[in-house]
Amino acid sequence: MAATRVSALHRTAFVTGASTGLGRAFAEMLLADGVRVWGTARDAARLAPLAAGHAGNFTAVVLDLRDGAQAEAGFRAADRAAGGFDLVINNAGYGVFAEFAATDFSEWAEQLEVMLVNTARLSHAALGGLLARNRGALVNISSLAAEFPLPFQTAYNIAKAGLSALNESLMMEVSGTGVVILDVRPGDYRTDFEGSVRRPPSGATVPSPRLARAWAAFVAMMESGPAPAHAAAALRRALLRNRSGTVRIGRFFQAVVAPFMVRFGSLALKRRIQAAYFNLT
Ligand SMILES: NC(=O)c1ccc[n+]([C@@H]2O[C@H](COP(=O)([O-])OP(=O)(O)OC[C@H]3O[C@@H](n4cnc5c(N)ncnc54)[C@H](OP(=O)(O)O)[C@@H]3O)[C@@H](O)[C@H]2O)c1
């Protein structure tokens, strides 16, 4: 019989970036379903509301993905304390909106380090335990940007495309075991993401009105997106199915219509439509 609560499948979960936005909604959904949650932020104070609301079932973990070794050590310590996590959700991330050629390369490389390399590092640390126990789920929060790259967000697009490729690879590797891999690709959601996007000063080799128009379109899409609880409900349904797969979530046009349409069109047509979507034509 299919499970009706996530806790019937997973007793414990580790969620990165649980202080706000999607990660916080994921943590709240899991706690409401009876799962014990270890949630991370770079500053424990940002997790105080979750800890206060769920004493005994929520544990705050300080973790900064800019330092891979420290992040892995933090994960392993929490994993030992939990007796081995059943569910690991790599959710933490941020945006950088800037012109590629004019951005300091260290800013660009740091985003890949945080969102691809060190997220893969936590996946690597988690998967060993899951496979040893032959049960549980690894969820990596990618983005529809893996399929529809965002203008002026090159490192973000690459990180998410790379993460989805990792997820696809792992689905093949774990097939036949009791472990589930979910490649979750959200469209635009109304979170703190837009507010925390870094916008390093541009050397302006691209005419700035184009940058401004793309930014305005991006903000409008984020602000009109569904609330994080919508994403949590979609993740809950995917977890209850208990099988590996790609999960596109968000408003109907972004998560269903657009991916369906591009199967039948050319890449050139897709680029033209995306340019129009971001007022770049
Ligand atoms: N919102 C969307 O429309 C959307 C669409 C597609 C994909 N996504 C993805 O969904 C995930 C969550 O995004 P969100 O929209 O919920 O954003 P958000 O509200 O800005 O939350 C981001 C979370 O990531 C954490 N974080 C940021 N940098 C970190 C670092 N260096 N080390 C560790 N944690 C860090 C933040 O924790 P602190 O408290 O430490 O700041 C925060 O909890 C991201 O991976 C994002 O790319 C979002």
Side-chain angles (χ1 to χ4, degrees), residues 101-115:
T103 310
D104 190 312
F105 195 73
S106 62
E107 175 93 58
W108 192 89
E110 182 178 288
Q111 195 177 16
L112 280 187
E113 187 75 8
V114 166
M115 291 179 57

Side-chain angles (χ1 to χ4, degrees), residues 17 19 22 42 46 64-65 91 93 156 160 186-187 189 191-192:
S19 57
L22 302 187
R42 287 168 292 180
R46 302 244 301 156
D64 188 340
L65 281 164
N91 161 79
Y156 185 84
K160 294 305 193 183
Y189 276 93
T191 65
D192 289 352

Side-chain angles (χ1 to χ4, degrees), residues 13 41 79 94 103 128 208 267 280:
D79 193 54
Y94 65 95
T103 310
S208 59
L267 278 175
L280 287 173

Side-chain angles (χ1 to χ4, degrees), residues 89-197:
I89 304 180
N90 283 311
N91 161 79
Y94 65 95
V96 176
F97 185 92
E99 192 194 332
F100 175 64
T103 310
D104 190 312
F105 195 73
S106 62
E107 175 93 58
W108 192 89
E110 182 178 288
Q111 195 177 16
L112 280 187
E113 187 75 8
V114 166
M115 291 179 57
L116 181 56
V117 178
N118 291 337
T119 300
R121 187 169 181 155
L122 291 196
S123 299
H124 181 263
L127 198 54
L130 294 172
L131 286 170
R133 294 184 290 280
N134 197 31
R135 61 183 299 278
L138 171 64
V139 179
N140 282 322
I141 305 301
S142 175
S143 168
L144 284 173
E147 300 166 61
F148 301 95
L150 300 160
F152 304 113
Q153 302 196 46
T154 50
Y156 185 84
N157 298 330
I158 293 167
K160 294 305 193 183
L163 200 55
S164 281
L166 173 70
N167 293 332
E168 295 276 350
S169 309
L170 294 180
M171 283 181 216
M172 288 188 277
E173 282 194 28
V174 308
S175 121
T177 74
V179 176
V180 163
I181 307 286
L182 289 183
D183 179 36
V184 177
R185 302 181 183 182
D188 294 314
Y189 276 93
R190 211 167 56 244
T191 65
D192 289 352
F193 187 87
E194 167 217 327
S196 65
V197 168

